[in-house]
Amino acid sequence: MAAASPGERLNVAMIGYSFMGRAHAQAWSTVGRHFDLPVQPHMKVVVGRSAEKVEEARAKLGFEEAATDWREVVARDDIDIVDICTPGSSHHEIAIAALEAGKHVLCEKPLANTVEEAQAMADAAEKARVNGVRSMVAFNYRRVPALAHAKQLIEQGVIGDIRHVRAVYLQDWIVDPEFPLVWRLQADLAGSGALGDIGAHIIDLAQHLTGATVEELTGHTHTFVTERPLAEGSDGLSATGSGGTGPVTVDDAALVIARMSDGALATFEASRFATGRKNGLRIELNGSKGSIAFDLERLNELELFTADGTPATEGFRRILVTEGDQPYMEAWWPPGHIIGWEHSFVHEVRDLLVAIAEGKDPQPGFAEGLQVQQVLDAVQSASDQRGWVTVPE
Amino acid sequence: MAAASPGERLNVAMIGYSFMGRAHAQAWSTVGRHFDLPVQPHMKVVVGRSAEKVEEARAKLGFEEAATDWREVVARDDIDIVDICTPGSSHHEIAIAALEAGKHVLCEKPLANTVEEAQAMADAAEKARVNGVRSMVAFNYRRVPALAHAKQLIEQGVIGDIRHVRAVYLQDWIVDPEFPLVWRLQADLAGSGALGDIGAHIIDLAQHLTGATVEELTGHTHTFVTERPLAEGSDGLSATGSGGTGPVTVDDAALVIARMSDGALATFEASRFATGRKNGLRIELNGSKGSIAFDLERLNELELFTADGTPATEGFRRILVTEGDQPYMEAWWPPGHIIGWEHSFVHEVRDLLVAIAEGKDPQPGFAEGLQVQQVLDAVQSASDQRGWVTVPE
Amino acid sequence: MAAASPGERLNVAMIGYSFMGRAHAQAWSTVGRHFDLPVQPHMKVVVGRSAEKVEEARAKLGFEEAATDWREVVARDDIDIVDICTPGSSHHEIAIAALEAGKHVLCEKPLANTVEEAQAMADAAEKARVNGVRSMVAFNYRRVPALAHAKQLIEQGVIGDIRHVRAVYLQDWIVDPEFPLVWRLQADLAGSGALGDIGAHIIDLAQHLTGATVEELTGHTHTFVTERPLAEGSDGLSATGSGGTGPVTVDDAALVIARMSDGALATFEASRFATGRKNGLRIELNGSKGSIAFDLERLNELELFTADGTPATEGFRRILVTEGDQPYMEAWWPPGHIIGWEHSFVHEVRDLLVAIAEGKDPQPGFAEGLQVQQVLDAVQSASDQRGWVTVPE
Amino acid sequence: MAAASPGERLNVAMIGYSFMGRAHAQAWSTVGRHFDLPVQPHMKVVVGRSAEKVEEARAKLGFEEAATDWREVVARDDIDIVDICTPGSSHHEIAIAALEAGKHVLCEKPLANTVEEAQAMADAAEKARVNGVRSMVAFNYRRVPALAHAKQLIEQGVIGDIRHVRAVYLQDWIVDPEFPLVWRLQADLAGSGALGDIGAHIIDLAQHLTGATVEELTGHTHTFVTERPLAEGSDGLSATGSGGTGPVTVDDAALVIARMSDGALATFEASRFATGRKNGLRIELNGSKGSIAFDLERLNELELFTADGTPATEGFRRILVTEGDQPYMEAWWPPGHIIGWEHSFVHEVRDLLVAIAEGKDPQPGFAEGLQVQQVLDAVQSASDQRGWVTVPE
């Protein structure tokens, strides 16, 4: 597949339509209204297992067609982009089929449930890449404007050499031991728990922002509640229980100490047991010349400290990232008019469409997704071995 | 026009497509993806003065048709809803024509540039109402979930009898004396300056939240920069200058002290000269049993203090208004996944559509818009007379 | 009285030993431990009406002697400084007697209960001044390091020409209608209510920080609870009731809109009915080049915004005012080790002692105290007349 | 030594008069002015190595005598309390001598530079205890009112079973590689770096607040700058350099993951390289029913979240810990009038004096100081061995 022609219409097939699917649909629908796009996405088909439910989703989300067989869909000639919003266990099968069919692929994170699967996906992506097929893993937080802005500032050397990375991702949706055993708590579907679901985000962010990789680490994973009621239905992060109980097979929390390739020390903590913290992704970077801090619950803000030699007026400044000269924000509203969590997906599909149009590889690609998977794997190994583990290069 | 039938498609004609139009278009396009609607809006036609520009807007915003003559459009049989996003000077002519043609009307705030115009509009709305025609003035901040939540808490008596209302709306986009003379700085187009543009919001909010009205007030309006470069083009709150200068004919800032019908004392300040404050709408209400505070730059948060007799553990709590049991939030994302400024418009059109479907009057109606206009008028009178003015009932 | 000799011991007589007296005693006792002083204060005598209670205070606060007749004490040859910590009704009699006896005087704010009294005090101070006698009114917040720092930054032009001053002083200690009728709620003792007690602070601060004066104003004072239980005993801002009730003869809240001599617009609000706000003095100044904000409940912090032409990295910075190069802070602890409310009094007596030693007039003097009294008086007049009042020059 | 008699005067000998000495002196001097004490401390003698400098300190800090030989002083009959404010290397010698001489001992933290020294001190304390001699290690942050309040809330079960402890202590005073090699950077004097200096505080706090102990841990210590200019003079955390350089022999940062005896997971990070963080001790505890968070730079505030089953109004509340019914605060000012860092020392000596008067052991005693030392030791071992280490019971 060659780079798309200017103004060309690209048909999107979205596999899965739950929490992530709804966010992606909103992005595909909205992106053209605010960005000047070189190619136009068309919400062609949404795919799910239940014919009834997927039709309902189609009507709601605004796709043209509904379908139940993803294999058929990814093989269709009129599909240009496959957007994978299913649980991690099916990522590799769908992604590889789509890539082999020559479709551009956007795949939710983490890339896969195991390093082996992720490796196969990265290999498939590399192979397809030669033919102009693009692949991208959906670490959407890179496209939160405040974090994209942070990345630019760090690249410009504003905070100097990084000494510390301190990242937590704290939620509390399963503190109640009666909360049911949804798919995110089952290893065969989700791969891991807090580690892969939210820990993956902060590991990706730390590496993205610093431009360095996690070289070696030690860590600890833990499951506080090991048996839960079986789940009946779930939506996003809420669910209702049914009779009986089953074992929780993923971690509730993961703690990591790491050394990065630039010499920085990093700590990571992901937990679903931090009562009161709803979506508490916080990351702070301390450099030789300054520091940057960010909190996802206030995602329009970036805190910046620069040591400029005048301690009397130094301080962490709260930058409201709603200015036209900050990443992505020219597309939106006047200064001070904040955007939401979902906008990160709009920016993500925008960048994917631009990459497709320009015949370039979008970031992060599957190779980067694989590398994050390797870090996650190293955390689990370190926890099992109670020692330090080197992340493969 | 009778209440709409279930599932009926209602065609929307939007007049104006600039800053406000773009926000409304996003709302019309998004509302059905997240809310279960009794009737479905269809983005039928967008209207503007320049054929070329309105066609560009149509393509971008996703309307079916573009048109240049609003009179023709509001008379069309296939139009159900007229959405007025033009400067205040044209509101009354368009709104009255639309109402007389039996169209439901959503009109941007302030309702009009003068009390006389607002009165005529309210009269027309009342007349049309008898025939089932709905009208609504777009004080969108009532639909920010945190503020809708505040309203509920206040109605439940959580903070007791209101003693103080303290509201500011601070921006800084014209601090630079070289910023050009855009339409918002010209009385014949905008009616007033900070007073009507942003002061109207905090007056409406204060009255809405307390359920009381401003009874009497004194105030002061001021223009810091009285001559500015003529404007060439503008978008939202940014603009570029051209040659020559002209007089600023509106206020830069307005200060008000008021007594409300429930005995509360209120202060209002609206300014475009508050350097560093981008969209700084802050409102605090102190009651006999508690207090509530809100900041639009952190619109997903509500601060609540309740005096429960145990000072040792009392404190202002920061409620993250992203829970499913808070107003409008069931439609969106899991807890902690914040929404943006534009979502208030989604909620606004949702409530309008529901009101139309149910055959009820949406809030706030034109009568409420008129009353806010009377308060604005009283502020200007008080400033001119340097005394207290009673707001007409 | 000439300037004190280096190292000389100056005997202090403190009149009153309640809330303010306890704060002043802490200051006199502490100042020498942290500052290098040109003269040494000695806590010679504390004066009160009840022999028993004043002896108790003496022992507790660390004075050498206790006495019950302030007239005798201020006449003593061995007294150098008279520190007046009584309710406002007795300020003028004590201060004038002390000044006439050639004693340096530190007087709590507001200077007096009426303009007439304040005028007489200022006259007496001016007369005594010729003989080297110093007088100072205790607007202690000028000596909060963050505010002293703000003053310096404003003088350096960091925020440019001031456009807006926005100051509130919010407390909630009398929200409960059963809170007793303490002296602060009685006009004959306190002069006024929130206006003179806490409003005086924000008016002084606004004028001090801007270097401008309030030229004209309009305002409104109000008493929410007009009858209260009689008080039995009180300490600081807490009290216990006894039988019977009496009328509240002072304001519970005062609201002001003002124009300052530099063209800035100002708003002031003082209230004891702001539930949840304990000591909520907040002041914000918006200038042509930047803004400054401060909150007394976080008195070690100063917020500074400077518009430097790079909106992408502009933001309000939180300066932690604990650095050695910030006012008064060299005397205290390493950066980040915060100080408390009481430290403002330490800085106040330090500056008074330095002024005495150097033979200079401390700031603010009685003339400044008088001017604040004139502003307070203008607020009451404006409220009574429901119009604007010009403050005498 | 028996419990002191009511009102008895206890003579204090303070060894060391630098940063910590100055803070302790302020405490000894202030405590009686605000608390009702069962016994009265008298600032008898201050001890230092340089006769000239210690005399200067005596005059400044308000001690009666100055001395240069601590051995003589701790042996004096008229000394009741020995307050050790010297670097860690001399703690054990002084403390043991003082205990053997029958003096009550207050010793700065960490208790000693090695576990062996700490063990000897704990043994000596236990031996002296039989004779009524009290010993206390100065983990002053336990006496910050907000943290004492947190302790009470946790003991009352307000946040339920603790799942996570997350504590950092971040400073930035040695980020500059040219900052000199002060004693705190030399292992022979300071024992360790960030680990023992500030890490000790958060480990003590975590154990104190939860009532649990660190059972096993893994960790990593690191020195970013290994060679620095030799120091000439230092005060608190600032210093000036002289010619030549020397090796930094302590850690700049320490990272820890731990499992506590109550099953909670804990992370600790102590660093002197967190640019912009001046005294950034932050601790958060997540429990099954709520959470608590604290920041030393805002030490008058406590954040509390309680999950009470009504998500719509849940949120972290900011409790201003200045109320009379909160620990220690009855002694100070009205609500909202904040206190400073140094007040924790006032509370510390108050509690020591009460313990002495009542013949009870103050908390934390030397045994607790030893246990913290064992945790610190385990961190260093774990870092050296790159594995998990069990802390001795």
Side-chain angles (χ1 to χ4, degrees):
Chain A
M1 181 173 284
S5 321
E8 190 181 338
R9 193 177 99 162
L10 298 183
N11 285 329
V12 177
M14 189 172 88
I15 324 295
Y17 52 79
S18 185
F19 173 23
M20 278 302 118
R22 203 152 55 85
H24 284 229
Q26 174 70 4
W28 290 116
S29 158
T30 297
V31 63
R33 195 169 297 110
H34 300 281
F35 289 90
D36 290 320
L37 298 175
V39 289
Q40 300 301 326
H42 178 70
M43 296 168 74
K44 189 69 183 179
V45 54
V46 59
V47 185
R49 283 171 301 187
S50 149
E52 187 186 1
K53 284 187 178 165
V54 74
E55 168 54 26
E56 206 178 298
R58 185 208 62 72
K60 189 89 179 167
L61 301 180
F63 280 88
E64 193 177 320
E65 304 170 27
T68 55
D69 186 338
W70 65 260
R71 282 181 183 78
E72 262 182 39
V73 170
V74 305
R76 278 167 55 166
D77 281 351
D78 64 344
I79 296 301
D80 301 292
I81 298 173
V82 173
D83 181 7
I84 306 174
C85 297
T86 56
S89 55
S90 56
H91 285 187
H92 84 292
E93 199 177 0
I94 303 173
I96 292 172
L99 288 165
E100 288 180 351
K103 312 307 184 194
H104 307 298
V105 176
L106 174 61
C107 182
E108 256 309 315
K109 45 58 50 188
L111 189 58
N113 278 0
T114 67
V115 168
E116 292 66 32
E117 291 172 356
Q119 182 71 60
M121 292 168 78
D123 291 347
E126 183 55 29
K127 206 164 150 192
R129 184 179 169 279
V130 181
N131 303 317
V133 175
R134 310 295 157 198
S135 53
M136 185 185 200
V137 56
F139 283 114
N140 61 305
Y141 292 147
R142 293 190 181 196
R143 266 84 185 186
V144 169
L147 288 170
H149 190 28
K151 169 76 173 165
Q152 288 181 358
L153 294 171
I154 292 166
E155 280 181 346
Q156 290 161 14
V158 170
I159 65 167
D161 300 327
I162 310 295
R163 302 297 200 187
H164 287 289
V165 177
R166 194 173 302 110
V168 298
Y169 201 150
L170 305 178
Q171 298 184 337
D172 72 352
W173 55 283
I174 59 171
V175 166
D176 181 356
E178 296 307 309
F179 186 90
L181 193 63
V182 296
W183 73 263
R184 287 176 192 272
L185 305 186
Q186 303 174 40
D188 53 345
L189 291 171
S192 67
L195 178 59
D197 182 20
I198 53 180
H201 273 301
I202 49 178
I203 287 165
D204 178 65
L205 270 182
Q207 296 188 133
H208 173 64
L209 290 174
T210 60
T213 53
V214 172
E215 278 199 350
E216 57 170 8
L217 59 80
T218 189
H220 184 66
T221 65
H222 186 71
T223 307
F224 291 106
V225 173
T226 53
E227 191 87 13
R228 287 182 180 272
L230 297 174
E232 204 153 61
S234 79
D235 176 36
L237 303 181
S238 64
T240 53
S242 66
T245 67
V248 175
T249 47
V250 301
D251 59 281
D252 288 335
L255 312 178
V256 180
I257 293 174
R259 204 178 46 71
M260 302 194 67
S261 59
D262 59 355
L265 302 183
T267 63
F268 301 101
E269 178 176 5
S271 177
R272 292 162 169 170
F273 270 75
T275 305
R277 301 300 177 193
K278 301 305 173 183
N279 206 20
L281 187 171
R282 299 183 185 193
I283 186 164
E284 177 167 327
L285 300 104
N286 304 127
S288 57
K289 294 163 60 179
S291 290
I292 272 178
F294 170 83
D295 179 347
L296 186 63
E297 289 180 2
R298 288 177 170 168
L299 67 79
N300 293 270
E301 302 177 22
L302 185 68
E303 283 191 89
L304 172 67
F305 181 96
T306 54
D308 56 12
T310 56
T313 52
E314 289 173 6
F316 275 85
R317 67 179 71 187
R318 166 192 174 242
I319 301 172
L320 199 50
V321 186
T322 55
E323 298 286 328
D325 59 351
Q326 290 159 338
Y328 303 108
M329 292 311 296
E330 200 184 6
W332 297 102
W333 317 108
H337 294 68
I338 71 170
I339 62 168
W341 166 83
E342 76 211 43
H343 292 68
S344 60
F345 294 95
V346 180
H347 305 159
E348 184 171 84
V349 302
R350 181 263 184 189
D351 287 348
L352 173 59
L353 293 168
V354 169
I356 290 171
E358 296 182 349
K360 293 180 179 165
D361 288 318
Q363 300 298 328
F366 279 16
E368 287 175 86
L370 165 62
Q371 191 271 346
V372 171
Q373 199 65 41
Q374 287 169 324
V375 177
L376 299 178
D377 197 58
V379 173
Q380 196 53 61
S381 297
S383 181
D384 295 344
Q385 302 165 22
R386 292 171 62 88
W388 284 73
V389 170
T390 301
V391 179
E393 288 198 38
Chain B
M1 181 174 282
S5 322
E8 190 181 339
R9 193 177 98 161
L10 298 183
N11 285 330
V12 177
M14 188 172 87
I15 324 294
Y17 51 79
S18 185
F19 173 23
M20 278 302 118
R22 203 150 57 85
H24 284 228
Q26 174 70 5
W28 292 116
S29 157
T30 297
V31 62
R33 195 169 297 109
H34 300 281
F35 289 90
D36 290 321
L37 297 175
V39 289
Q40 300 301 324
H42 178 70
M43 296 168 74
K44 187 69 181 177
V45 54
V46 58
V47 185
R49 281 171 302 187
S50 148
E52 188 185 0
K53 284 186 179 164
V54 74
E55 168 52 26
E56 207 178 295
R58 186 207 61 72
K60 190 86 178 169
L61 301 181
F63 281 87
E64 193 177 321
E65 304 170 29
T68 56
D69 185 339
W70 65 261
R71 282 181 184 78
E72 264 182 38
V73 171
V74 304
R76 278 169 55 166
D77 281 350
D78 64 345
I79 295 301
D80 300 292
I81 297 173
V82 174
D83 180 8
I84 305 174
C85 297
T86 56
S89 54
S90 56
H91 285 187
H92 84 292
E93 198 178 0
I94 302 173
I96 292 172
L99 289 165
E100 289 180 351
K103 312 307 183 193
H104 307 298
V105 176
L106 174 62
C107 182
E108 257 308 315
K109 45 57 52 189
L111 188 59
N113 279 0
T114 66
V115 168
E116 291 67 31
E117 291 172 357
Q119 182 71 60
M121 293 169 76
D123 291 347
E126 183 55 29
K127 207 165 150 192
R129 186 178 168 279
V130 181
N131 304 317
V133 174
R134 309 296 157 196
S135 53
M136 186 185 200
V137 56
F139 282 114
N140 60 305
Y141 291 147
R142 293 190 180 195
R143 266 84 184 185
V144 168
L147 288 170
H149 190 27
K151 169 76 173 164
Q152 288 180 359
L153 294 171
I154 292 166
E155 281 181 346
Q156 290 161 15
V158 169
I159 65 168
D161 300 326
I162 310 294
R163 303 297 200 186
H164 287 290
V165 177
R166 195 173 301 110
V168 298
Y169 201 150
L170 305 177
Q171 298 184 337
D172 73 352
W173 54 284
I174 59 171
V175 166
D176 181 355
E178 295 306 310
F179 185 90
L181 193 62
V182 296
W183 73 263
R184 287 175 192 272
L185 305 186
Q186 303 174 39
D188 53 344
L189 291 172
S192 68
L195 178 59
D197 183 19
I198 52 181
H201 272 301
I202 49 178
I203 287 165
D204 178 65
L205 271 182
Q207 296 188 134
H208 173 63
L209 290 174
T210 60
T213 53
V214 172
E215 277 199 350
E216 57 170 7
L217 59 79
T218 187
H220 184 65
T221 64
H222 186 72
T223 307
F224 291 107
V225 173
T226 53
E227 191 87 12
R228 288 184 178 273
L230 297 174
E232 204 152 61
S234 79
D235 176 37
L237 303 181
S238 64
T240 53
S242 66
T245 66
V248 175
T249 47
V250 301
D251 58 282
D252 287 337
L255 312 178
V256 180
I257 292 174
R259 203 176 47 71
M260 302 193 69
S261 59
D262 59 355
L265 301 183
T267 64
F268 302 101
E269 179 176 6
S271 177
R272 293 162 169 171
F273 269 75
T275 305
R277 301 299 176 193
K278 302 305 173 183
N279 206 22
L281 187 170
R282 298 183 186 194
I283 187 164
E284 177 167 327
L285 300 103
N286 305 128
S288 56
K289 293 163 61 180
S291 289
I292 272 178
F294 171 82
D295 179 347
L296 186 63
E297 290 180 2
R298 288 177 171 169
L299 67 80
N300 295 270
E301 302 177 22
L302 185 69
E303 283 191 90
L304 172 67
F305 181 96
T306 53
D308 55 13
T310 56
T313 52
E314 289 173 6
F316 276 86
R317 67 179 71 187
R318 166 192 173 245
I319 302 171
L320 199 51
V321 186
T322 56
E323 298 286 329
D325 59 351
Q326 291 159 337
Y328 303 108
M329 292 311 295
E330 199 184 7
W332 298 102
W333 317 107
H337 294 69
I338 71 170
I339 61 168
W341 166 83
E342 76 212 43
H343 293 67
S344 60
F345 294 95
V346 180
H347 305 159
E348 184 170 85
V349 301
R350 181 262 184 192
D351 287 349
L352 173 60
L353 292 168
V354 169
I356 290 172
E358 297 182 349
K360 294 180 179 165
D361 288 316
Q363 300 298 328
F366 279 16
E368 287 175 85
L370 164 62
Q371 191 271 345
V372 171
Q373 199 65 40
Q374 287 170 324
V375 176
L376 299 178
D377 197 58
V379 173
Q380 196 53 61
S381 297
S383 181
D384 295 344
Q385 303 164 20
R386 293 170 63 87
W388 284 74
V389 170
T390 301
V391 179
E393 288 198 39
Chain C
M1 182 175 281
S5 322
E8 191 181 338
R9 192 177 99 162
L10 298 182
N11 286 329
V12 177
M14 189 172 89
I15 323 295
Y17 52 78
S18 184
F19 173 23
M20 278 301 119
R22 204 152 54 87
H24 284 228
Q26 173 70 5
W28 291 116
S29 158
T30 297
V31 63
R33 194 169 298 111
H34 301 279
F35 289 90
D36 290 321
L37 298 175
V39 289
Q40 300 301 325
H42 178 70
M43 296 168 75
K44 188 69 182 178
V45 53
V46 58
V47 185
R49 282 172 301 187
S50 148
E52 189 186 359
K53 284 187 180 165
V54 75
E55 167 52 28
E56 208 179 293
R58 186 207 62 73
K60 189 88 178 170
L61 302 180
F63 281 87
E64 194 178 320
E65 304 169 27
T68 55
D69 185 339
W70 65 259
R71 282 181 183 81
E72 262 181 39
V73 170
V74 304
R76 277 167 57 166
D77 281 351
D78 63 343
I79 296 300
D80 300 292
I81 298 173
V82 173
D83 181 7
I84 306 174
C85 297
T86 56
S89 55
S90 56
H91 285 186
H92 84 291
E93 198 177 359
I94 302 173
I96 292 172
L99 288 165
E100 289 179 351
K103 312 307 183 193
H104 307 298
V105 177
L106 174 62
C107 183
E108 258 308 316
K109 46 55 57 186
L111 188 58
N113 278 1
T114 67
V115 167
E116 291 66 32
E117 291 172 356
Q119 182 71 60
M121 292 168 76
D123 291 347
E126 182 55 27
K127 206 165 150 192
R129 185 179 168 279
V130 180
N131 303 315
V133 175
R134 309 294 156 198
S135 53
M136 185 184 198
V137 56
F139 283 114
N140 61 305
Y141 292 146
R142 293 191 180 195
R143 265 84 185 187
V144 168
L147 288 170
H149 190 27
K151 169 75 174 165
Q152 289 180 359
L153 294 170
I154 292 166
E155 281 182 345
Q156 290 161 14
V158 170
I159 65 167
D161 299 327
I162 311 296
R163 303 297 201 187
H164 287 291
V165 177
R166 194 172 303 108
V168 298
Y169 201 149
L170 305 178
Q171 298 184 337
D172 72 354
W173 55 284
I174 58 170
V175 166
D176 181 355
E178 296 306 311
F179 185 90
L181 191 63
V182 295
W183 73 263
R184 287 175 192 273
L185 305 185
Q186 302 174 40
D188 53 345
L189 291 172
S192 68
L195 177 59
D197 183 20
I198 53 180
H201 273 300
I202 49 178
I203 287 165
D204 178 65
L205 271 182
Q207 297 189 132
H208 173 63
L209 290 174
T210 60
T213 52
V214 172
E215 278 199 350
E216 56 169 8
L217 59 80
T218 189
H220 184 66
T221 64
H222 186 72
T223 307
F224 290 107
V225 173
T226 54
E227 191 88 11
R228 287 183 180 273
L230 297 174
E232 204 153 61
S234 79
D235 176 35
L237 303 181
S238 64
T240 53
S242 65
T245 67
V248 175
T249 47
V250 301
D251 59 280
D252 288 336
L255 312 177
V256 180
I257 293 174
R259 204 177 47 69
M260 301 193 70
S261 58
D262 59 354
L265 302 183
T267 64
F268 301 101
E269 178 176 6
S271 177
R272 292 164 169 168
F273 269 75
T275 305
R277 302 299 177 192
K278 302 304 175 183
N279 205 22
L281 187 170
R282 298 183 186 193
I283 186 165
E284 177 166 327
L285 301 104
N286 304 128
S288 56
K289 294 164 59 180
S291 290
I292 272 178
F294 171 83
D295 179 346
L296 186 63
E297 290 180 1
R298 288 176 171 169
L299 68 80
N300 294 271
E301 303 177 21
L302 186 68
E303 284 192 88
L304 172 67
F305 182 96
T306 54
D308 56 12
T310 56
T313 51
E314 289 174 5
F316 275 86
R317 67 178 70 186
R318 167 192 174 243
I319 301 172
L320 199 50
V321 185
T322 55
E323 298 286 328
D325 59 351
Q326 290 159 338
Y328 302 107
M329 292 310 295
E330 199 183 7
W332 298 103
W333 317 108
H337 294 68
I338 70 169
I339 61 168
W341 166 82
E342 76 212 42
H343 293 67
S344 60
F345 294 94
V346 180
H347 305 159
E348 184 171 85
V349 302
R350 182 263 186 191
D351 288 349
L352 173 60
L353 293 168
V354 169
I356 290 172
E358 297 183 348
K360 293 179 180 165
D361 288 318
Q363 300 296 328
F366 279 17
E368 286 175 85
L370 164 63
Q371 191 272 344
V372 170
Q373 198 65 41
Q374 287 170 324
V375 177
L376 299 178
D377 196 58
V379 173
Q380 197 52 62
S381 297
S383 182
D384 295 343
Q385 302 165 22
R386 294 171 60 89
W388 285 72
V389 170
T390 300
V391 179
E393 289 198 38
Chain D
M1 182 176 282
S5 322
E8 191 181 339
R9 193 176 98 162
L10 299 183
N11 286 329
V12 177
M14 189 173 89
I15 323 295
Y17 53 78
S18 185
F19 172 23
M20 278 302 119
R22 205 152 54 87
H24 284 228
Q26 174 70 4
W28 290 117
S29 159
T30 297
V31 64
R33 194 169 297 110
H34 300 279
F35 289 90
D36 289 322
L37 298 175
V39 290
Q40 301 301 325
H42 178 69
M43 296 168 74
K44 187 69 181 178
V45 53
V46 59
V47 185
R49 282 172 302 188
S50 150
E52 189 187 359
K53 284 186 179 165
V54 74
E55 167 53 27
E56 208 178 295
R58 186 208 60 74
K60 190 87 179 170
L61 302 180
F63 280 88
E64 192 177 320
E65 304 170 27
T68 56
D69 185 338
W70 65 259
R71 281 179 184 80
E72 263 181 38
V73 170
V74 304
R76 277 167 56 164
D77 281 350
D78 62 345
I79 296 300
D80 301 292
I81 298 173
V82 174
D83 180 7
I84 306 174
C85 297
T86 56
S89 55
S90 55
H91 286 185
H92 84 292
E93 199 177 0
I94 302 173
I96 292 172
L99 289 165
E100 290 179 350
K103 313 307 184 192
H104 307 298
V105 176
L106 173 62
C107 183
E108 257 309 314
K109 43 58 53 187
L111 189 59
N113 279 1
T114 66
V115 168
E116 292 66 32
E117 291 172 355
Q119 182 71 60
M121 292 168 76
D123 291 347
E126 182 55 28
K127 206 166 149 192
R129 185 179 168 279
V130 180
N131 304 315
V133 175
R134 310 293 156 198
S135 53
M136 184 184 199
V137 57
F139 283 113
N140 60 305
Y141 292 146
R142 293 190 181 195
R143 265 84 185 186
V144 168
L147 288 170
H149 190 28
K151 170 75 174 166
Q152 289 181 357
L153 294 171
I154 292 166
E155 281 181 347
Q156 290 161 13
V158 170
I159 66 168
D161 299 327
I162 310 295
R163 303 297 199 187
H164 287 290
V165 177
R166 196 171 301 108
V168 299
Y169 201 150
L170 305 178
Q171 299 184 337
D172 72 353
W173 55 284
I174 59 171
V175 167
D176 181 356
E178 295 306 311
F179 185 91
L181 192 63
V182 295
W183 73 263
R184 287 175 192 272
L185 305 185
Q186 303 174 40
D188 53 345
L189 291 172
S192 66
L195 178 58
D197 183 19
I198 52 180
H201 273 300
I202 49 178
I203 287 165
D204 177 65
L205 271 182
Q207 297 189 133
H208 172 63
L209 290 174
T210 60
T213 53
V214 172
E215 277 200 350
E216 57 170 7
L217 59 80
T218 188
H220 184 66
T221 64
H222 186 72
T223 307
F224 292 107
V225 173
T226 54
E227 191 88 12
R228 288 183 178 272
L230 297 174
E232 204 154 60
S234 78
D235 176 37
L237 303 180
S238 64
T240 54
S242 66
T245 67
V248 175
T249 48
V250 301
D251 59 281
D252 289 336
L255 312 178
V256 180
I257 292 174
R259 204 176 47 69
M260 301 193 69
S261 58
D262 59 355
L265 302 182
T267 63
F268 302 101
E269 178 176 6
S271 177
R272 293 164 169 168
F273 269 74
T275 305
R277 301 300 176 192
K278 302 306 174 182
N279 205 22
L281 187 170
R282 298 182 186 195
I283 187 164
E284 177 166 328
L285 300 105
N286 305 127
S288 57
K289 293 163 60 180
S291 289
I292 272 177
F294 171 82
D295 179 346
L296 187 62
E297 290 180 3
R298 287 177 172 169
L299 67 80
N300 294 271
E301 302 177 22
L302 185 69
E303 285 191 88
L304 172 67
F305 181 96
T306 54
D308 55 13
T310 56
T313 51
E314 289 174 5
F316 276 86
R317 66 179 71 185
R318 166 192 174 244
I319 301 172
L320 199 51
V321 186
T322 56
E323 298 286 328
D325 59 350
Q326 291 159 338
Y328 302 108
M329 293 310 295
E330 199 184 6
W332 298 102
W333 317 108
H337 294 68
I338 71 170
I339 62 167
W341 166 83
E342 76 211 45
H343 292 67
S344 60
F345 294 95
V346 180
H347 305 158
E348 184 170 86
V349 301
R350 181 263 185 189
D351 287 348
L352 174 59
L353 292 169
V354 169
I356 291 172
E358 297 182 346
K360 294 180 179 165
D361 289 316
Q363 300 296 330
F366 279 17
E368 287 175 85
L370 164 62
Q371 192 272 347
V372 171
Q373 199 64 41
Q374 287 170 324
V375 177
L376 299 178
D377 197 58
V379 173
Q380 197 52 61
S381 296
S383 181
D384 296 343
Q385 302 165 21
R386 294 170 60 88
W388 284 73
V389 170
T390 301
V391 179
E393 290 200 35

